[in-house]
Structure formats: C-alpha cells, structure tokens
Amino acid sequence: MSTPTSTDQHDVRVNDREQLIYLLTEAAEIEHGLMCAYLYALWSLRQSLDEAVTPAQLEAIGRWRKEIRSVAMEEMAHLATVNNLLMSIGSPPHFRRQNFPVPAGYHPASVVVRLAPLTRDTLAHFVYLERPEGMEMAQARGFESPADYRRRPYATRLTPTAEDFDTVGHLYRGIQQGFETLSGRLGETALFAGSPDAQLGRDIMDLPGLVAVTDLRSAIQAIEVIIEQGEGGRRDAEESHFARFVAMAAEYDAFLRDDPAFMPHRSIVSDPLMFAPIGDMPGTYIDAPATARVLDLANASYGLMLRLLASGSGIAQGSTAGRRAEIDSAVSLMHVVHALSVLLTTLPAGAAPTPCAGMNFHLPRSSLALPQREAGTALLAERANEIALALEALAASQPGLDPALAATLRTVAAALLEPAASR
C-alpha cells in the first residue's frame, strides 16, 4: 500500500451490507463513467494525413488509439467485476449512472468525470484520475471541481451514506475492508448469499481480467485486479492505466515541443448535450438537425446495449445460451455505437461547420427498466428492429452512415429470439 502523503488518507468505513452495496454501486458508476470518458477521447482522434498531421504524428495517434481502447476495455471488465462483487452478496447488478456532465457532489471533489477530446489537459486529467493512492497531484486545468466540498458523514447511520475518497484506489481499499469486516462478523456463507450462477464468468462474457466472485478470497482477488490494472493502483505497475497515460503524455509533450500547433484530436465539443440546457447548466446542445438524428441513434443503441448487459447479468437469467446471446448482442451493439460516435465527430454540432459533435451516452430514466422475463427477449428484439428501421431511413440521406449497421441490429434481433424459441 502507498505511503501516506498529505492527501486525505482517512478510512472509508463499512458497517453493514447496505453500506457495502452503496459503495459498490458508486464504484460501478465511476468505472462506467471513466469508460465513457476514455471512449469519447478515443473517438475524437484524427484518422488520416488529410487532417493536418504528419506521418510520425499519425503513427503515434494510432498507437494512442489502441492504448486508450485497451484501457476502455479494461474499464468494462472492471464494471463487470464490480457487478460480480455486488451479485456475490445478494444485490442486483448496477449499470446506471448520472448523465454527463456529472453534477458536483455526486462523486467526491477529486473525481471529476467529463467528456472531452484528447487535448493535453484531458490527458493530464486521465493521469490524475488514475494516480496511485497517496500521490499528491493537482487537478488538470479545465477539470477542476466547481466547488470544494466533503462528503464524509459525521456519524454512523443505518441509511447508506456517501463517503469521501481521494482516489479510486482509496475507495477500493474501503470496499476491501468492508468485505473483510463483514465476512468476519457475519461469516462468509452469510455474506456471500448471492447465487454463484448469477456471476458473469468467461463462459458468458469474455473480458480480460474478469473475476467471478463467490467467497472472500475471490472478492479480494477481484479488487486487487482492478487496483493493479490502474484505478489509482497501489503500485505504479508498468502496464497500469496510470503508467500508460504518463507515457502517452510524455510523447504528446515531445510533439508539442517540435510543433506547438500539434493537435491530435478533431475539433469537437466538450460535454455534448442531447437536450437544450436549462439555465447555466454546462455543456453544448447538439442542435444541427441531421447531427441530432445521428446522436439519437447512437444513444438509442447505447441504451439497448446496456439493457442487454443488465438482462444477461443478475440472478440466473434462464439458460447459459440465452444469457450469452444477450451479452454477445451487447458486444455487437458496441460496434454500432462506435461507428455512430466516430461519425458524430465529423458532423457539425450547430449551424457552423465546426466545432463538430460527439456522443454523450444519454440514459433516460427508463433505460434499464427490464421487461418481464417471459416477454424479455421479444421486447429486446423489438427494440433492436426499431433502431434498425430508423438507421435504414437515415442512411438514405446521411453521408457516411453505413447502412450495414442496420443489418447488425437485425442480426441482433434474430439472435435474441433464437434462444427463446429453443427453450
């Protein structure tokens, strides 16, 4: 564990199962939010020499794209692993999160999660978010918390309560302490009351580092994997997210020294909004009509993807074949979301040609309301066909929109209905 510095090193306390579930749901939302932030930066990157970059710069940008994609995939594995931790103690999985931009107070002041292109400041922010526990570091410029606040409760309460933590590793240290404390107090059998069949294993979701959780040993292993891969890791491992972003920042700086005008990202907005903001709410409203339609399709596809992930998780949801069909369908939708999100970075956000737009991962309040199990696959397939129909209609008039994306949605709908028919 890192040697404490002047950063806040208080213990995150867990006194009961409800508080442990609360902390795990916040961990799930942070992993989810970081995954979205990394993907947004990845999609912003320039892709050809026609975009005012040199061959050497484009080669580096290509490597950065692969690195960020790898980190984002590990964030997805972390999200799945946190849900395994939740389900191991009897909770349902948690795929919800706040819409962007996340309001102040929802996470600690040290955890600011925003959508921005890969500027040098954005990369500094990624380094800050992934810093090892106990490391002093200033917030990146432009990513400062709008207010200085503490979420630490003044007394132990039965009602689950927000805790402050300086880094994500600090949060996981508290979660691990909670598992150890409650395992000793309740006994492992009582604590790990969830069905082992509900776990997301490699037979259901093939993600690197995914850990199924059924007891204290596997719970600690799962937490250690998340921490060491880079969520404010306890050690500065060479392959941690922190180390990889630091190396990327050093290369970015070298390009800036040679060419102060170096800009690896497209001219896109930060904090895009699907709906007009109210008052002084931060963000940029995407109101160019054709762009707004593409953003709508991207968000609808993303919403269905999350619903499929949630449906394929949780308490033993039917046969392994059915769950795998839902998870595989979610993976197929990730490719649709990727294609639409890259297209958005080429389309105007408003009346002017630039800046361009970006995906904002909007989640309506009903997005994860799962259908009844008997009707589930039919309703999910129905939604896939609705999105396919809208894609086909827009592809006829929107340059750059691949009509093959609609075929992917049709394939998803058919794959969802096939296991249901065989049961």
Side-chain angles (χ1 to χ4, degrees):
M1 197 174 294
S2 300
T3 302
T5 68
S6 59
T7 54
D8 188 358
Q9 293 292 303
H10 76 279
D11 286 337
V12 174
R13 293 292 182 182
V14 176
N15 296 297
D16 52 44
R17 189 188 305 265
E18 286 298 318
Q19 181 67 9
L20 181 55
I21 290 171
Y22 185 99
L23 294 178
L24 284 166
T25 55
E26 181 159 23
E29 293 189 27
I30 289 173
E31 301 291 1
H32 193 166
L34 291 183
M35 179 184 72
C36 294
Y38 296 156
L39 288 172
Y40 193 87
L42 179 153
W43 293 328
S44 77
L45 293 173
R46 294 178 171 180
Q47 297 190 11
S48 75
L49 294 174
D50 296 335
E51 297 184 79
V53 290
T54 68
Q57 291 169 347
L58 186 63
E59 189 273 334
I61 292 169
R63 284 188 283 103
W64 297 351
R65 183 180 291 107
K66 291 178 181 177
E67 285 281 5
I68 298 172
R69 182 183 295 115
S70 174
V71 169
M73 289 302 295
E74 288 181 356
E75 295 294 347
M76 178 169 288
H78 297 173
L79 175 58
T81 298
V82 171
N83 277 312
N84 278 346
L85 287 163
L86 275 166
M87 293 186 291
S88 76
I89 58 174
S91 171
H94 188 82
F95 289 98
R96 295 182 184 279
R97 56 159 183 76
Q98 281 279 309
N99 279 317
F100 296 107
V102 178
Y106 193 74
H107 296 313
S110 61
V111 183
V112 176
V113 185
R114 291 182 53 208
L115 302 178
L118 193 71
T119 66
R120 183 60 182 84
D121 288 331
T122 302
L123 190 50
H125 179 55
F126 292 168
V127 171
Y128 175 84
L129 288 172
E130 301 284 7
R131 72 197 186 282
E133 186 182 356
M135 177 180 285
E136 284 193 278
M137 188 178 294
Q139 288 265 26
R141 184 176 56 186
F143 292 86
E144 301 89 353
S145 177
D148 185 21
Y149 57 86
R150 290 288 182 188
R151 305 189 314 162
R152 195 181 311 172
Y154 293 101
T156 299
R157 297 183 176 94
L158 280 173
T159 303
T161 308
E163 286 268 4
D164 233 24
F165 43 88
D166 187 53
T167 64
V168 183
H170 187 175
L171 169 61
Y172 280 112
R173 174 162 57 89
I175 288 171
Q176 180 172 329
Q177 172 266 321
F179 272 100
E180 292 169 343
T181 298
L182 295 180
S183 183
R185 182 185 303 162
L186 303 174
E188 277 195 63
T189 301
L191 177 60
F192 294 94
S195 169
D197 292 339
Q199 291 291 302
L200 286 168
R202 298 295 288 271
D203 59 329
I204 300 291
M205 178 179 278
D206 190 14
L207 284 172
L210 180 61
V211 178
V213 179
T214 55
D215 55 18
L216 182 61
R217 181 199 60 78
S218 53
I220 292 174
Q221 178 192 1
I223 293 166
E224 290 292 345
V225 166
I226 293 172
I227 291 173
E228 298 308 330
Q229 281 187 337
E231 308 302 303
R234 292 174 182 170
R235 296 192 299 273
D236 179 12
E238 186 176 340
E239 293 300 315
S240 71
H241 299 175
F242 174 78
R244 291 155 81 177
F245 283 137
V246 166
M248 199 181 302
E251 191 172 15
Y252 202 129
D253 287 339
F255 280 120
L256 285 173
R257 284 193 295 271
D258 293 339
D259 177 9
F262 171 63
M263 192 171 81
H265 59 89
R266 292 170 172 172
S267 177
I268 68 171
V269 301
S270 295
D271 301 315
L273 298 174
M274 189 175 181
F275 302 103
I278 299 173
D280 59 355
M281 175 182 174
T284 302
Y285 176 38
I286 308 302
D287 59 355
T291 309
R293 291 183 68 188
V294 176
L295 179 58
D296 178 45
L297 282 170
N299 280 318
S301 300
Y302 167 68
L304 178 58
M305 180 198 81
L306 284 184
R307 186 171 284 184
L308 287 163
L309 286 174
S311 184
S313 306
I315 56 172
Q317 298 278 16
S319 68
T320 298
R323 294 180 69 196
R324 185 61 190 256
E326 290 174 343
I327 298 298
D328 286 349
S329 294
V331 172
S332 294
L333 279 168
M334 291 174 197
H335 297 293
V336 174
V337 171
H338 169 80
L340 293 171
S341 299
V342 172
L343 176 60
L344 282 166
T345 67
T346 69
L347 302 177
T354 58
C356 291
M359 169 62 162
N360 74 327
F361 304 94
H362 181 80
L363 287 175
R365 62 168 57 96
S366 61
S367 60
L368 291 176
L370 295 178
Q372 298 172 19
R373 194 62 206 174
E374 295 75 13
T377 50
L379 268 60
L380 292 168
E382 176 184 275
R383 183 59 171 165
N385 280 319
E386 289 171 350
I387 299 172
L389 189 64
L391 272 166
E392 289 165 347
L394 186 56
S397 60
Q398 177 59 59
L401 181 55
D402 186 357
L405 298 179
T408 300
L409 269 295
R410 300 287 189 196
T411 300
V412 163
L416 292 171
L417 293 174
E418 184 177 348
S422 65
R423 282 199 290 269

